[in-house]
Amino acid sequence: MYYTGTSGLVLPYPNKSHYPKEFQDKSRITFYGSLFSSIEVNSSFYRIPQAATVRKWSESVPATFKFTFKLWREITHSAQATFNPDAILHFMTAIEATETTKKGSILIQFPPSFKIQQHKKLVDILETINGINSSWKLAVEFRDSSWYQPSIYELLYAYHASLVVHDKTGTLKPLIDQPVNFAYVRFHGPGGNYRGSYTDDVLSEYAQYIAEWLNDGKEIYSYFNNTMGEAIKNLQTLKGFVDNQKT
């Protein structure tokens, strides 16, 4: 129920020569899957992966592992008010190569320039994905504070989507009770710049929230994006706190 990892494939060793012996002839994702329970695939934001590649990734990790794919930027970050539904179909077809039990979330992240006045595009994206998807959870991350209001929350819940809890500077997402069956948390670094390390006090506080959500029966997806800082150390610390909090 608690799936955690890094944004992108990050390992605690500089190269394969430092891997444990049993993983030195294995792929990076195989080794990663032995350490963490999930990954937020950021490369899919820049380019839609090949289905064969996704299938290989899926076959390389344990049965309990979950994948999250970040939606292609040509869909979310285009300045146009509309998008080509075929682009979503292409994206979804590629990630459907993931084994069913390993399907986690689709992260739909919008840029700061995306304002609430453009809500029709949000509806169209959610509607299109829902028309195709039957297995993936949907998580929406806004970077503009105009979106944080009850009407938008209700819209997301109507599509069984969760509002991402994140700490990107200037757009802190309010911690609200969400009537969906999962929560999604992203850590961008204490300064919001993908660097640095969180204090134990901050991680302990988040551990309390996560433990409460777990006790409520929610699945949790938690990723550290401070990969130019102490993402792995912070991930391990938070997981330890959560393990101690669970009842």
Side-chain angles (χ1 to χ4, degrees):
M1 297 291 285
Y2 177 40
Y3 301 101
T4 184
T6 55
S7 300
L9 203 163
V10 181
L11 292 168
Y13 299 99
N15 53 57
K16 280 193 173 185
S17 66
H18 293 79
Y19 290 9
K21 186 176 180 179
E22 64 270 28
F23 289 101
Q24 289 186 358
D25 63 343
K26 306 294 184 183
S27 68
R28 295 178 71 235
I29 187 66
T30 298
F31 183 35
Y32 179 97
S34 74
L35 300 173
F36 311 118
S37 57
S38 186
I39 187 170
E40 184 182 85
V41 179
N42 274 348
S43 59
S44 58
F45 176 70
Y46 300 99
R47 182 179 181 180
I48 298 177
Q50 296 292 319
T53 301
V54 173
R55 186 175 299 108
K56 185 175 181 180
W57 291 343
S58 181
E59 292 170 349
S60 299
V61 296
T64 54
F65 192 91
K66 296 283 189 182
F67 284 90
T68 284
F69 287 91
K70 191 173 179 181
L71 191 61
W72 189 34
R73 64 180 175 181
E74 292 299 317
I75 299 167
T76 56
H77 284 55
S78 169
Q80 298 177 347
T82 59
F83 66 94
N84 183 356
D86 288 343
I88 288 183
L89 179 60
H90 181 194
F91 182 90
M92 297 295 295
T93 300
I95 69 172
E96 276 300 303
T98 307
E99 294 170 271
T100 300
T101 60
K102 299 173 185 177
K103 292 177 180 178
S105 306
I106 297 173
L107 172 61
I108 307 170
Q109 182 209 296
F110 292 104
S113 59
F114 189 61
K115 312 293 184 182
I116 194 170
Q117 290 79 8
Q118 299 164 280
H119 69 276
K120 184 179 184 303
K121 183 175 180 178
L122 169 64
V123 173
D124 290 343
I125 289 174
L126 292 172
E127 186 73 26
T128 303
I129 293 176
N130 263 20
I132 301 168
N133 162 54
S134 60
S135 303
W136 297 91
K137 291 177 167 56
L138 302 182
V140 178
E141 179 179 325
F142 297 116
R143 294 286 180 87
D144 180 78
S145 57
S146 65
W147 292 96
Y148 297 142
Q149 52 181 285
S151 62
I152 298 302
Y153 306 154
E154 292 172 9
L155 170 65
L156 294 181
Y157 306 153
Y159 289 95
H160 309 289
S162 181
L163 188 61
V164 173
V165 176
H166 71 87
D167 58 0
K168 187 67 175 171
T169 305
T171 55
L172 296 179
K173 184 260 168 197
L175 279 167
I176 57 173
D177 184 36
Q178 301 191 63
V180 290
N181 63 357
F182 77 109
Y184 195 115
V185 188
R186 298 186 86 210
F187 297 91
H188 294 91
N193 60 356
Y194 315 106
R195 302 178 184 273
S197 180
Y198 290 91
T199 66
D200 283 1
D201 285 347
V202 169
L203 296 176
S204 179
E205 180 178 352
Y206 273 99
Q208 293 177 41
Y209 302 138
I210 290 171
E212 289 173 6
W213 296 330
L214 287 169
N215 288 335
D216 288 341
K218 295 180 186 288
E219 282 189 358
I220 310 298
Y221 294 84
S222 170
Y223 301 101
F224 282 85
N225 203 12
N226 56 326
T227 52
M228 292 184 285
E230 298 290 345
I232 291 177
K233 177 184 175 183
N234 293 160
L235 184 162
Q236 293 168 333
T237 300
L238 177 61
K239 186 177 184 304
F241 286 150
V242 172
D243 288 343
N244 289 334
Q245 286 278 344
K246 286 188 293 188
T247 59

